[in-house]
Amino acid sequence: MRLIVADDYAALSRAAADVLAATIAAEPTAAILAATGNTPMGAYEDLAARRRRGEIDASRLRVFQLDEYLGLPVDDPRSLFGWTRRSFVEPLGVPDTNVVRLPGDAADPAAACRAYEAAVAAGGGIDLAVLGLGPNGHLGFNEPPAAADAPTRVVDLTPESIVSNGAYWGGSDRVPRRALTAGMTVVLASRRVLLLVSGEHKREILRRTLEGPVTPAVPASYLRRAADVTVITDRAAVGSSAPNPPGEAAVAE
Ligand code: PGA
C-alpha cells in the first residue's frame, strides 16, 4: 500500500488524475470502477480538462458503476448512475455502450447483482477502482460490517451514510434507505485501487483504515490486503501525524 499526502484538495485531484491518465494511456480499454461522492470530483474535472486539451482519449474506456440507490428510476436526479454519467462518462467521452450499470430500478435486484458480477468477470475484471472513503469506513455501499468476501448485493444503508449522503440531495429524508453495491469481492480483486481521502472529517476513519485492525467494522481496512493500493490524501486528512512532508510519497505498509 502506498500513501501519497498531497498539499491540498487541488493537488490530490491532480495526483489522482495523473494515475487515471496514465492508466488510460497504457490501457485504452481499461475497466474503471468509478465512484461518485464529492472526493473524486476534482480528479474527474481535471481529467475532463485534459481530454478537452486533447491529452487523453478515453473513447475506448470501460466504466463500471460502483453503487446505486435501490428503487430509483434511472432518470431520478439522485441516481448515482446519473451522477457517474454527468461527472465521468460524458465529460470523458466514454460511449454509453461501454458503461455497465448497477441498476437500482431492476425488477429483480438480486439477479441484477449477479448479472453485474458476471459482466465484471466477462470483461476480465476491474483494472482500476477509484474510490472514496465513507465516514463509516465503507467502500461503495459496503456498509460495516462487511468482510472481504461480501458479494455484489442489496444493502441497508447505515444511519451514518444516510446523513452523509443527505448532504448531496438536500437532507437525509431525500436519501433512499437501501442500495446496491459492487461487492468487496469486486473492489478487492481490482488490479489497482486508488483511494481518495480529503478533509479533517475523514482523519479518524483514515487512521483506522491504515493503522487499526483489519476488520469488517471498517470495510476499507481490507484494502491493506489488496494487491496494488494507492491512497491519496490531502494534508487535512492526515493532520500533524503525517509521516512525511507535504507532497512527498511514503510507503505506509
Ligand atoms: P465523499 O463520500 O467523497 O462525498 O466524502 C465518500 C463515501 O461516502 O464513500
Side-chain angles (χ1 to χ4, degrees), residues 71-236:
L72 291 190
V74 67
D75 57 354
D76 188 288
R78 296 163 294 175
S79 156
L80 297 180
F81 177 70
W83 195 354
T84 305
R85 192 148 65 179
R86 287 190 301 278
S87 64
F88 193 82
V89 172
E90 283 174 355
L92 291 183
V94 178
D96 269 347
T97 46
N98 284 15
V99 183
V100 174
R101 273 184 71 203
L102 200 48
D105 56 351
D108 183 345
C113 289
R114 289 194 295 275
Y116 175 91
E117 290 209 341
V120 171
I126 302 295
D127 293 301
L128 175 64
V130 181
L131 305 173
L133 176 63
N136 63 356
H138 74 200
L139 299 174
F141 276 136
N142 286 287
E143 299 284 69
D149 61 355
T152 300
R153 67 201 183 286
V154 176
V155 296
D156 293 320
L157 297 186
T158 59
E160 213 169 356
S161 287
I162 291 167
V163 168
S164 65
N165 280 231
Y168 310 142
W169 315 118
S172 299
D173 54 332
R174 299 265 303 141
V175 180
R177 271 26 188 181
R178 302 181 80 199
L180 275 56
T181 186
M184 291 292 288
T185 47
V186 172
V187 168
L188 296 175
S190 300
R191 279 181 276 282
R192 184 162 189 198
V193 173
L194 199 52
L195 180 71
L196 307 181
V197 189
S198 171
E200 191 176 344
H201 65 298
K202 296 286 177 73
R203 198 177 285 179
E204 178 56 18
I205 193 62
L206 177 63
R207 192 195 59 71
R208 291 175 67 196
T209 297
L210 299 179
E211 297 172 5
V214 175
T215 165
V218 183
S221 64
Y222 285 99
L223 289 175
R224 281 152 51 194
R225 295 183 180 163
D228 181 349
V229 179
T230 303
V231 183
I232 307 181
T233 78
D234 54 16
R235 188 136 289 274

